[in-house]
Amino acid sequence: MTVDTVDIEVAEARAKDVRRLDRVVIRFAGDSGDGMQLTGDRFTSETASFGNDLSTLPNFPAEIRAPAGTLPGVSSFQLHFADHDILTPGDAPDVLVAMNPAALKANIGDLPRGAEIIVNTDEFTKRALQKVGYDRSPLEDGSLDGFRLHPVPLTTLTVEALKAFTLTRKEAERSKNMFALGLLSWMYHRPTEGTERFLKAKFAKKPEIAEANLAAFRAGWNFGETTEDFAVSYEVAPAATAFPPGVYRNISGNLALSYGLIAASRQADLPLFLGSYPITPASDILHELSRHKNFGVRTFQAEDEIAGIGAALG
């Protein structure tokens, strides 16, 4: 037996199993500052470009931000994608990505037995656990035995991946959502080119931040590829039968509402005016309508909600 033959056999032994699925429901959950909406949005965009049918359900916390690590402050983004036509964002997630104990506790009740849970173990400190009413860590007390648990020190791995950058630890930690995105992208064979272009464009004026996020994203992908904890990855084929090749629009509720308002204005032959105060998640409507002055749309950014209503009535 030659050395080359041994290398090939070792590589084949290490090759990970790839399983085919017809549909998956993933929920990203974390604190309102953990970037779960951005993470979900990027995973959604790559899934759409891959050709799956999909439906999403962003879940925003209270706009008056709750204290970090508490149940009211949890933000989540759910995505249902499939190789066939689907109509809902799903009910029971097959996968939960929980960035802290609050995210786990707020969402664990929605998971079916056998679901996969990826948790950021760095956040499961005694103080964080007590903040949401855990007497003991659910990662150690057996309460999650009915699930496929993947404990991952996302924060530590992200900071380690970015140690070559001149960033503070706090700045580096902000990229942990990109590490999680890279891991999930590997796990479900999502394209990566669109996310890399997005990060370069989003942080074009801050090239080091762009490179740091790219590095975290790639580190997450490589972690999935090399760690023994993730022995299986999954493929969900494009929905080619339901949706033949062509040009499709990935549309959100806010975007659909904006286009509907413009269409109604044109059909009624009346000018469209929006008096609004920027507030998540409605800000996208103001942003979108402000781009369509060519249709006679006028937008006014008021100092608060009452002023916006007053301007519209006036």
Side-chain angles (χ1 to χ4, degrees), residues 165-185:
F165 295 86
T166 58
L167 301 174
T168 65
R169 180 179 177 86
K170 187 174 182 179
E171 289 171 335
E173 288 178 359
R174 290 175 184 159
S175 297
K176 62 181 180 289
N177 65 323
M178 288 296 105
F179 189 101
L181 177 60
L183 173 57
L184 269 292
S185 296

Side-chain angles (χ1 to χ4, degrees), residues 258-273 295-297:
S258 299
Y259 288 173
L261 290 170
I262 294 171
S265 170
R266 302 293 287 180
Q267 291 291 324
D269 195 27
L270 293 171
L272 175 60
F273 173 81
F295 288 120
V297 178

Side-chain angles (χ1 to χ4, degrees), residues 171-212:
E171 289 171 335
E173 288 178 359
R174 290 175 184 159
S175 297
K176 62 181 180 289
N177 65 323
M178 288 296 105
F179 189 101
L181 177 60
L183 173 57
L184 269 292
S185 296
W186 169 84
M187 196 171 173
Y188 289 95
H189 294 234
R190 299 296 90 185
T192 61
E193 295 81 3
T195 293
E196 295 199 359
R197 286 195 302 269
F198 169 84
L199 291 172
K200 291 175 182 177
K202 180 177 177 63
F203 299 107
K205 296 182 179 179
K206 299 178 180 179
E208 186 176 38
I209 298 298
E211 289 301 319

Side-chain angles (χ1 to χ4, degrees), residues 16-293:
K16 299 194 176 186
D17 186 21
V18 179
R19 298 178 187 172
R20 294 290 298 271
L21 301 174
D22 62 349
R23 54 174 290 279
V24 177
V25 179
I26 298 176
R27 182 179 296 175
F28 299 94
D31 204 55
S32 56
D34 285 336
M36 293 296 93
Q37 303 303 321
L38 176 61
T39 305
D41 181 72
R42 291 315 313 159
F43 195 95
T44 298
S45 295
E46 297 296 356
T47 296
S49 68
F50 185 74
N52 297 120
D53 190 26
L54 58 89
S55 180
T56 64
L57 181 64
N59 183 20
F60 299 89
E63 193 53 37
I64 299 175
R65 181 175 291 186
T70 61
L71 293 173
V74 174
S75 172
S76 66
F77 188 106
Q78 183 163 305
L79 166 68
H80 180 193
F81 62 103
D83 65 0
H84 56 275
D85 188 15
I86 57 174
L87 301 175
T88 75
D91 295 318
D94 303 299
V95 183
L96 171 66
V97 179
M99 302 298 280
N100 60 18
L104 177 65
K105 188 166 189 177
N107 293 283
I108 190 67
D110 294 337
L111 302 185
R113 306 298 283 181
E116 294 198 73
I117 304 175
I118 301 171
V119 295
N120 179 15
T121 56
D122 289 322
E123 294 297 322
F124 279 69
T125 62
K126 183 177 181 180
R127 182 181 179 186
L129 291 166
Q130 291 176 343
K131 194 178 290 187
V132 294
Y134 280 126
D135 295 325
R136 297 179 57 194
S137 172
L139 309 183
E140 302 169 355
D141 64 5
S143 61
L144 301 178
D145 287 349
F147 305 97
R148 288 176 288 170
L149 179 65
H150 301 281
V152 182
L154 290 172
T155 305
T156 298
L157 291 171
T158 302
V159 172
E160 179 66 19
L162 303 185
K163 64 182 180 181
F165 295 86
T166 58
L167 301 174
T168 65
R169 180 179 177 86
K170 187 174 182 179
E171 289 171 335
E173 288 178 359
R174 290 175 184 159
S175 297
K176 62 181 180 289
N177 65 323
M178 288 296 105
F179 189 101
L181 177 60
L183 173 57
L184 269 292
S185 296
W186 169 84
M187 196 171 173
Y188 289 95
H189 294 234
R190 299 296 90 185
T192 61
E193 295 81 3
T195 293
E196 295 199 359
R197 286 195 302 269
F198 169 84
L199 291 172
K200 291 175 182 177
K202 180 177 177 63
F203 299 107
K205 296 182 179 179
K206 299 178 180 179
E208 186 176 38
I209 298 298
E211 289 301 319
N213 278 282
L214 284 168
F217 177 65
R218 292 165 181 163
W221 177 285
N222 293 332
F223 178 77
E225 182 71 28
T226 57
T227 183
E228 295 181 1
D229 191 41
F230 291 88
V232 179
S233 63
Y234 304 93
E235 286 185 351
V236 181
T241 302
F243 300 98
V247 178
Y248 295 89
R249 179 183 293 278
N250 182 14
I251 194 166
S252 67
N254 281 343
L255 186 59
L257 175 58
S258 299
Y259 288 173
L261 290 170
I262 294 171
S265 170
R266 302 293 287 180
Q267 291 291 324
D269 195 27
L270 293 171
L272 175 60
F273 173 81
L274 174 68
S276 177
Y277 175 70
I279 187 168
T280 303
S283 300
D284 290 342
I285 300 171
L286 176 61
H287 297 162
E288 184 61 35
L289 288 179
S290 68
R291 298 188 180 105
H292 297 287
K293 297 181 178 65

